[in-house]
Amino acid sequence: MPAKKTATKRKSEAVVVVEENEGSKKVKVSHRSHCKEAGQVLVLGQGDVGQLGLGENTIERKKPALVSLPEEIVEVIAGGMHTVCLSVTGQVYTFGCNDEGALGRDTSEEGSEMVPGKVVLEEKVVQVSAGDSHTAALTEEGAVYLWGSFRDNSGVIGLLEPMKTCTLPIKVPMTEAVVKIASGNDHLILVTLEGNLYSSGTAEQGQLGRVPERFSDRGGRKGLGRLLVPQMVKVQGKVHFVDAFCGAYLTFAVSKDGYMYGFGLSNYHQLGTKSTKMCFEPVKLTCFKNSTTSWVDFSGGQHHSLCLDAEGQVYCLGRAEYGRLGLGKGAEEKNEPTPVTGMEPVCGLSCGASVSIAVTREGSVYAWGMGTNLQLGTGGEDDEWSPVKMTGKQLENRAVLMASSGGQHTVLLVKDKQES
């Protein structure tokens, strides 16, 4: 029987569609951030712990290299030192550092972490996210699975239970269907079908938006359970959230009426606040409210953020060192969205710790920031203070669909141009 579709009205920032199959109570969740276009995976940068997926003999790539995967991929995510790929059939493949279980699979066989391997999940996955030592997967029915560990400044804090690392996927206890997941270095944000925001992980910099500063160090007297079990982020008044994005230590959230909220680390104004104090609860970010601007994408590094408007214009804010803002040499830190020039209209963004990546609507990819780990694809280690178009043999006659920059490496999803 054909699926019956009911669309819920939203502003252009996010659309949620629920599919209820006749004769079945199963609900399929959908969100504008779920990737559908399939392609192949390219990697570059440092790969000493296998995060390039090219085997034990390749520990760095100056230019993009093709990864061998058993099927086409629709989403790529670069974690701190590992890589996650979502296939067109809803399978998850991982490679890289597995010290704390971030790969979600057995890597006892020597070298098995250095090449792609499948994570065993019973349900079809529609979105993945990853941080420094954790990985999350959202299923088509709105459930979330998590593996690895969260860490704070003192070390491992656990994942769902205090001090307990999960080397295999474990289901996150949620009473609401989830439509979008996003990961910071050590925190996870969940957007639900009802428009609520849930968070879990480390709270030291305010990135959970629901833990007061006095309890931010391992949950205070209430313990780690307060941090690790996902709980709702509360905002004054009734706010319906439709999207959320993470930086390393911060969270951006978009409301149904187009307002931006943020919480977490803003020591270089990377949240867009006038102050450099950490925000332990959601703050309405007035610097993003402009009647002519509709924000569609955000990404954050260690101390900077990128944002994208509906016209394809990239903006930056936060720390300027190493060129990560893309504003040219001599640029200083910015406390409000500042246009980055020198690119065609952009459709997607990604930040590494001190690196920025933008994918254009035409299928090109630009990079800027710290060059030390070869993540920029220039072939050298120099910092780039303005956007530089990435080139390489594997990029010839291919359009880039998406990019993700991690701790020391960058991953691209590409397709042949004749297919476009």
Side-chain angles (χ1 to χ4, degrees):
M1 296 286 286
K4 182 177 69 180
K5 293 189 179 182
T6 55
T8 313
K9 285 185 181 176
R10 295 284 183 273
K11 283 182 74 70
S12 60
E13 283 86 347
V15 178
V16 177
V17 178
V18 186
E19 292 185 3
E20 195 168 348
N21 291 316
E22 291 176 26
S24 166
K25 289 185 178 178
K26 285 184 179 177
V27 174
K28 291 185 180 179
V29 298
S30 182
H31 189 270
R32 73 170 188 90
S33 62
H34 300 175
C35 304
K36 301 284 196 301
E37 203 166 3
Q40 295 172 291
V41 177
L42 303 180
V43 289
L44 61 147
Q46 298 292 345
D48 52 334
V49 291
Q51 62 265 55
L52 298 183
L54 301 173
E56 298 175 85
N57 297 324
T58 305
I59 59 167
E60 69 173 35
R61 284 295 307 204
K62 294 181 179 181
K63 291 286 185 177
L66 188 65
V67 181
S68 177
L69 283 145
E71 51 183 322
E72 284 199 305
I73 301 299
V74 294
E75 186 177 24
V76 290
I77 300 289
M81 297 173 78
H82 72 292
T83 304
V84 186
C85 302
L86 175 62
S87 82
V88 71
T89 61
Q91 306 290 328
V92 178
Y93 296 87
T94 59
F95 43 94
C97 182
N98 199 30
D99 290 354
E100 281 153 22
L103 299 190
R105 58 184 177 88
D106 179 15
T107 55
S108 54
E109 187 182 331
E110 192 174 346
S112 60
E113 77 280 6
M114 298 277 201
V115 292
K118 189 156 77 170
V119 178
V120 178
L121 285 158
E122 297 302 317
E123 300 173 49
K124 182 180 179 182
V125 174
V126 293
Q127 191 170 55
V128 288
S129 70
D132 272 0
S133 305
H134 77 275
T135 305
L138 171 66
T139 75
E140 66 178 356
E141 291 173 18
V144 178
Y145 288 84
L146 195 56
W147 55 93
S149 179
F150 294 123
R151 299 176 63 92
D152 65 8
N153 286 331
S154 303
V156 170
I157 64 168
L159 196 67
L160 288 175
E161 295 179 46
M163 310 309 293
K164 190 174 177 184
T165 294
C166 297
T167 57
L168 296 173
I170 185 167
K171 193 171 186 177
V172 178
M174 287 289 292
T175 56
E176 298 179 36
V178 176
V179 295
K180 164 87 186 272
I181 57 175
S183 288
N185 279 16
D186 287 287
H187 74 292
L188 177 69
I189 299 293
L190 313 169
V191 183
T192 72
L193 191 58
E194 284 85 356
N196 294 315
L197 213 58
Y198 286 75
S199 64
S200 68
T202 301
E204 288 175 323
Q205 293 84 16
Q207 58 266 60
L208 297 191
R210 59 174 178 81
V211 179
E213 187 169 6
R214 66 184 183 277
F215 297 131
S216 63
D217 182 9
R218 301 207 163 191
R221 66 174 186 268
K222 297 191 176 182
L224 283 168
R226 181 189 186 114
L227 311 182
L228 298 177
V229 177
Q231 293 177 33
M232 196 188 299
V233 179
K234 296 201 168 77
V235 185
Q236 273 191 327
K238 179 106 178 98
V239 177
H240 186 120
F241 289 103
V242 291
D243 217 340
F245 308 86
C246 292
Y249 309 109
L250 59 77
T251 303
F252 289 108
V254 189
S255 73
K256 184 180 175 181
D257 54 12
Y259 283 98
M260 290 299 311
Y261 292 80
F263 41 93
L265 187 67
S266 197
N267 55 340
Y268 290 91
H269 302 285
Q270 59 264 47
L271 263 181
T273 51
K274 295 298 180 198
S275 163
T276 53
K277 287 182 180 176
M278 289 184 281
C279 299
F280 285 86
E281 56 186 38
V283 176
K284 193 181 273 191
L285 301 171
T286 54
C287 72
F288 290 103
K289 190 56 186 171
N290 181 323
S291 60
T292 61
T293 308
S294 177
W295 300 101
V296 296
D297 199 9
F298 290 80
S299 186
Q302 184 181 22
H303 294 136
H304 77 296
S305 301
L306 293 181
C307 33
L308 178 66
D309 71 15
E311 304 299 312
Q313 173 64 54
V314 177
Y315 298 78
C316 63
L317 59 162
R319 191 177 184 181
E321 277 91 343
Y322 312 116
R324 71 191 92 184
L325 296 186
L327 300 176
K329 281 198 172 167
E332 297 180 349
E333 68 184 59
K334 301 294 179 184
N335 64 4
E336 58 183 35
T338 305
V340 183
T341 59
M343 295 176 284
E344 310 89 68
V346 166
C347 62
L349 305 169
S350 180
C351 292
S354 306
V355 168
S356 298
I357 309 278
V359 177
T360 72
R361 293 173 182 175
E362 293 176 1
S364 298
V365 58
Y366 286 80
W368 59 96
M370 186 188 278
T372 309
N373 295 311
L374 304 172
Q375 282 174 276
L376 306 181
T378 60
E381 296 187 8
D382 292 341
D383 300 339
E384 295 293 343
W385 290 76
S386 299
V388 176
K389 195 178 209 172
M390 204 180 288
T391 59
K393 193 167 185 182
Q394 293 290 353
L395 286 171
E396 290 173 11
N397 298 314
R398 281 180 169 147
V400 179
L401 302 174
M402 72 177 299
S404 181
S405 210
Q408 299 174 311
H409 71 301
T410 298
V411 190
L412 308 175
L413 183 66
V414 299
K415 68 182 291 187
D416 293 342
K417 278 189 175 168
Q418 55 263 38
E419 294 177 19
S420 298

